[in-house]
Each structure stands twice: as structure tokens, then as C-alpha cells.
Amino acid sequence: MSATPLAALARTTDPRTTLRRFLAADAAVTGANGLAYLLAAGPLGRLLGVGPGLLAALGAFLTAYAAGVALLAARGRPPVRCVHAVVEANLAWALLSLVALALWLTPSTAGAVWTVLQALTVAGFAAAQYTALRASGD
């Protein structure tokens, strides 16, 4: 993934702004997901075929994680080590989601599709953030 398509997607040519926008988008999507898991664990659990306790715990974690990523996105120059930590956490989440699907979870069809889609989305955020970080020269 090159910096040029990322700049177009982020609607800016400034690499640091691109990075901050991808961090902010990650925080928004993750926060919305986390809040949905927290506030609707029962109905979502039935739809996805996942226990409501697990969804509520994931929701609490994701909401806190999203708040941290949002704080990072709000900085004029996000620290490189922190951005690397977000990229690595996103990659780990994507990988663990797929491993859990294969080895542990027995979700409904909707849950299996959701797990794969969110893993791909999170991996996409990791790729975009890493590419933007490299383009920023930090």
C-alpha cells in the first residue's frame, strides 16, 4: 500500500495528518463497536452466537482501547512508539480473532462473517497506520 492512495483516502497530502486521521478513524470504529458490545451484549450475542458476558468484556476493553487511540490521534505528532504499539495491537487482534474463530468460538453464520470482517478491517487500519507512519518520516 503506497502513501499516494492513503493520502487520497485521508484527503490530505500531509503524512502526519494522514496518520492522525487513520488513528481517529480506528478510534471511532473501535469505540462504536465497543459501545455496541457493552450496551447490547444480549441481542448482539444472540445474533452473533456469542455469549453476552464475552461481548460485554470485549466491549469494555474495546471502549478503553478506543479512548487511548483517540488520545493518540489528538496529538499533533503522535509518538512513534505509541503508533507502533497500536499497529501491533491491531495486528494481534486481527490474528487472534481468526484463531479464536478457528479453535474456540462456535458463532452463528452471522457471527463468523462478522468476525472475519472485523479482523480484516482491523488489519486494514494497521496497514494504513503503518504506511502513514513510514510516510511521515518519523
Side-chain angles (χ1 to χ4, degrees):
M1 184 178 289
S2 73
T4 304
L6 284 182
L9 187 60
R11 298 185 182 267
T12 181
T13 57
D14 178 39
R16 285 195 184 96
T17 301
T18 299
L19 174 60
R20 292 176 59 228
R21 286 183 180 172
F22 283 119
L23 289 168
D26 185 357
V29 169
T30 302
N33 200 32
L35 288 174
Y37 287 177
L38 267 176
L39 301 175
L44 283 175
R46 286 188 293 279
L47 173 68
L48 301 175
V50 178
L54 175 60
L55 279 185
L58 289 174
F61 171 77
L62 291 173
T63 302
Y65 177 78
V69 176
L71 288 173
L72 190 58
R75 297 191 61 171
R77 189 176 195 145
V80 172
R81 295 181 103 187
C82 293
V83 175
H84 277 288
V86 168
V87 169
E88 290 168 7
N90 283 344
L91 290 174
W93 179 273
L95 180 62
L96 288 173
S97 294
L98 298 175
V99 168
L101 182 61
L103 301 178
W104 178 47
L105 297 175
T106 54
S108 64
T109 300
V113 169
W114 176 254
T115 301
V116 171
L117 289 177
Q118 65 82 30
L120 292 172
T121 300
V122 172
F125 276 127
Q129 292 158 351
Y130 180 75
T131 302
L133 179 64
R134 288 181 48 101
S136 73
D138 288 335

